[in-house]
Amino acid sequence: MTTNQSIKAIVFDLGKVLVDFDYSIAIRKIAARSTISVADLSRSITTAPLLLDYECGKLTSEEFFVRVRSATGFQGDIEEFANLFGNIFSPIEPMIDLHRSLSGGGFPTFIFSNTNDLAVRHIRKTFPFFNRFSGYVLSYEHGSMKPAAEFYRVLEQQSGFRGPEIFYLDDRPENVAAGAARGWQAVVHQTPEETIRKVRALGLLGGDSD
């Protein structure tokens, strides 16, 4: 199979692509240390603008914690909160293996994620694969989120690649569409098996070219 010669870099979304996550894990544990119900806590953190503001970089981690503590009556300190809030992730091993193969094949690889400081601290500390990328474009560091066009421009500027040079994997169709609108070769990630088949069909894995 002939390799797609235009692809020069691989861009990965983080959540639901490389790591799975479940905010209900944190909600239950934080609620046990708070004065409001699990349902009210979930609304306060995940459905109100609070988390969105945090992931857009409008709040520091300390400011986010103060807001959560005020809204929920959380009884612990910020260190306890950080441990509970960040410990919601599990690795998606086939996708981590895929990244290892692509990186080992010489492709620069990038994380491109709507995320927050506490999550990244936990992932960086817990999952060694996270430290093996060429670069990271994270929403809270740039004040912008997918699918906003300006956030995609940041990735292009920081990576030095653009248009069809970029192969992009994300589980959200609207994010993939925004990449495709910039000429990126963008794929909606649904399952590791399907994504790996698509990557193999492009000849991006070692041993797949004629």
Side-chain angles (χ1 to χ4, degrees):
M1 181 178 294
T2 302
T3 301
N4 186 321
Q5 298 292 333
S6 64
I7 295 173
K8 306 299 183 185
I10 316 293
V11 173
F12 289 83
D13 181 33
L14 181 56
K16 301 295 183 179
V17 175
L18 292 163
V19 293
D20 204 356
F21 64 88
D22 182 357
Y23 270 113
S24 70
I25 296 170
I27 296 297
R28 290 193 300 271
K29 292 180 179 179
I30 294 170
R33 298 278 285 136
S34 302
T35 58
I36 65 173
S37 69
V38 169
D40 287 342
L41 180 64
S42 180
R43 283 191 290 271
S44 294
I45 293 181
T46 61
T47 61
L50 185 59
L51 183 61
L52 182 64
D53 286 348
Y54 182 39
E55 296 200 333
C56 278
K58 295 179 181 178
L59 299 171
T60 65
S61 294
E62 292 74 16
E63 290 167 338
F64 178 66
F65 169 67
V66 168
R67 297 276 189 92
V68 171
R69 184 177 58 187
S70 176
T72 67
F74 181 72
Q75 298 167 355
D77 61 16
I78 189 170
E79 182 176 354
E80 179 184 354
F81 176 79
N83 288 334
L84 297 177
F85 186 78
N87 192 18
I88 62 172
F89 299 98
S90 57
I92 302 175
E93 295 293 353
M95 294 301 294
I96 293 169
D97 290 342
L98 175 63
H99 168 256
R100 184 183 301 112
S101 296
L102 291 167
S103 179
F107 286 101
T109 59
F110 299 86
I111 294 281
F112 183 48
S113 179
N114 293 345
T115 189
N116 61 76
D117 175 50
L118 290 178
V120 169
R121 285 190 215 176
H122 177 82
I123 292 169
R124 192 182 299 279
K125 178 177 66 176
T126 307
F127 303 117
F129 83 87
F130 186 80
N131 300 304
R132 297 171 183 152
F133 285 77
S134 307
Y136 308 83
V137 179
L138 310 173
S139 61
Y140 74 95
E141 293 184 335
H142 297 283
S144 185
M145 299 181 76
K146 297 178 286 188
E150 60 265 24
F151 195 39
Y152 291 71
R153 284 195 290 271
V154 172
L155 186 284
E156 292 171 346
Q157 290 163 1
Q158 291 206 0
S159 71
F161 300 99
R162 53 189 38 83
E165 295 176 327
I166 296 171
F167 181 70
Y168 171 42
L169 295 168
D170 197 301
D171 67 304
R172 301 293 296 268
E174 65 272 24
N175 297 342
V176 169
R182 303 185 69 79
W184 297 9
Q185 301 191 51
V187 168
V188 177
H189 170 75
Q190 295 180 306
T191 68
E193 295 76 16
E194 180 182 348
T195 293
I196 291 167
R197 282 197 297 271
K198 291 177 179 178
V199 170
R200 195 176 298 280
L202 289 170
L204 300 178
L205 292 172
D208 285 351
S209 57
D210 289 336

